[in-house]
Amino acid sequence: MDVRQVSYFLAVAEHGGFSRAASALDVAQPTLSQSVRALERELGTELFHRVPHGLVLSYAGRAFVGPARQMLRGITAAREAVGSHARATPALDLVAVPVLAAYPGASLVGSFRRENPHIVVHIDEPETDDGLHILVRDGHSELGLTHLPLPHLGLHVVELGVQELWLAFPPGTDVGPGDAVPLARLHGADVLGVPRGNWQRDDVERALRDQGVRTRLVVEVAHPEALAPLVLGGAGAAFLVRETAHSAASLGAVVRPVDPPLRQAYGLVHRPGPLSPAARAFVAHARARCRAGR
């Protein structure tokens, strides 16, 4: 097994096929295919299933993604240590829960890339918010952007800030006097939401239970980013991240903070031990940006 074989395997996995990966790497497709087949022979198992419309990762292939990424990160760090890192293209592997990927993730990655245009960023999304910690622990991603506190998985935590949820109502809704909306006022109300296992749903339901409030979920969507358009379309009220709520307000939604406030800390997590140069730079950048924004 060599570095080229591992990097070719990851390229095929990330691009979903040999032709797209070959184009991205600027190598001949037969060369790429032969290298991956040689890697499969060395490992003694198929990493991809060849299907009529392309490739899908096999069970072994999915299991190999994390160790392969760790291997390349380790090699990049080793090259840096001996002064030859300029020959490698640095990469940052980041997994983020969707609501944090939108804010502050998008602005953090954008400003980081402006300062570090030579670093390639790979962003993954966990199937559930809780699944993020497993992806980081098992090495699929070097850094995770997640809500805190964490389960006890032995990960190192870098606190960055606090995210707050506001209520957004369809345009023209009369929410009554005052600034903040008491949660008690929502008793019996129709609301929009996301599936259980998502921080946004779990935190809201916990707060409502504490207040003895029951609501009726009338629309459930898989992704939090779909909530604001549904509110604007008149489907009902929803809890949105404050920054998303402000954007919805500019389009006509009626938005208010809630009483008591719904706030959750967030930060970056990674495995114990030294980080790759790209991850180390991103952690420092995120700390500085979030500290400046407070």
Side-chain angles (χ1 to χ4, degrees):
M1 187 187 306
D2 61 35
V3 178
R4 183 178 58 182
Q5 288 176 322
V6 175
S7 63
Y8 283 2
F9 159 74
L10 286 175
V12 175
E14 290 165 1
H15 290 280
F18 286 110
S19 60
R20 288 191 292 272
S23 177
L25 295 172
D26 195 24
V27 299
Q29 183 173 332
T31 300
L32 191 65
S33 179
Q34 291 167 13
S35 179
V36 171
R37 288 187 182 279
L39 178 60
E40 289 177 319
R41 286 194 297 272
E42 288 192 40
L43 294 174
T45 185
E46 281 193 341
L47 298 174
F48 297 97
H49 292 311
R50 280 71 176 173
V51 296
H53 300 292
L55 299 174
V56 294
L57 282 166
S58 66
Y59 179 83
R62 291 195 300 273
F64 187 56
V65 168
R69 288 177 174 171
Q70 288 185 64
M71 190 183 307
L72 293 189
R73 288 195 293 265
I75 289 169
T76 300
R79 283 174 170 159
E80 182 189 53
V82 297
S84 62
H85 60 286
R87 292 197 296 271
T89 300
L92 170 67
D93 294 319
L94 174 70
V95 59
V97 297
V99 69
L100 288 172
Y103 183 87
S107 60
L108 286 177
V109 171
S111 56
F112 177 73
R113 280 278 304 135
R114 289 194 297 273
E115 293 181 8
N116 303 272
H118 61 292
I119 296 179
V120 176
V121 181
H122 302 287
I123 303 177
D124 288 331
E125 176 184 321
E127 291 185 8
T128 65
D129 288 7
D130 291 343
L132 178 143
H133 316 134
I134 306 300
L135 294 176
V136 176
R137 185 196 66 183
D138 293 350
H140 287 265
S141 288
E142 189 173 13
L143 292 179
L145 182 58
T146 183
H147 291 104
L148 304 174
L150 287 179
H152 297 293
L153 296 179
L155 299 177
H156 183 73
V157 176
V158 180
E159 293 191 23
L160 295 178
V162 175
Q163 197 167 60
E164 184 174 354
L165 291 177
W166 282 31
L167 264 171
F169 300 88
T173 302
D174 181 5
V175 296
D179 183 26
V181 174
L183 286 177
R185 194 183 298 173
L186 295 177
H187 190 72
D190 293 345
V191 297
L192 320 178
V194 290
R196 286 190 172 91
N198 182 297
W199 161 77
Q200 208 161 336
R201 168 80 173 266
D202 296 344
D203 207 47
V204 166
E205 289 193 341
R206 190 180 309 113
L208 293 174
R209 282 197 305 271
D210 291 345
Q211 297 289 315
V213 175
R214 288 189 176 184
T215 58
R216 190 165 72 100
L217 185 68
V218 294
V219 178
E220 182 179 274
V221 293
H223 299 290
E225 56 267 26
L227 290 173
L230 284 166
V231 170
L232 290 166
F239 289 88
L240 304 178
V241 172
R242 180 181 58 192
E243 291 74 17
T244 304
H246 286 166
S247 297
S250 69
L251 297 174
V254 178
V255 304
R256 294 287 189 276
V258 295
D259 181 25
L262 293 177
R263 300 188 179 108
Q264 184 80 23
Y266 66 86
L268 292 167
V269 298
H270 62 82
R271 290 152 53 101
L275 292 170
S276 69
R280 195 164 60 243
F282 186 78
V283 170
H285 177 83
R287 273 177 161 161
R289 292 277 297 190
C290 291
R291 191 162 48 239
R294 289 175 186 169

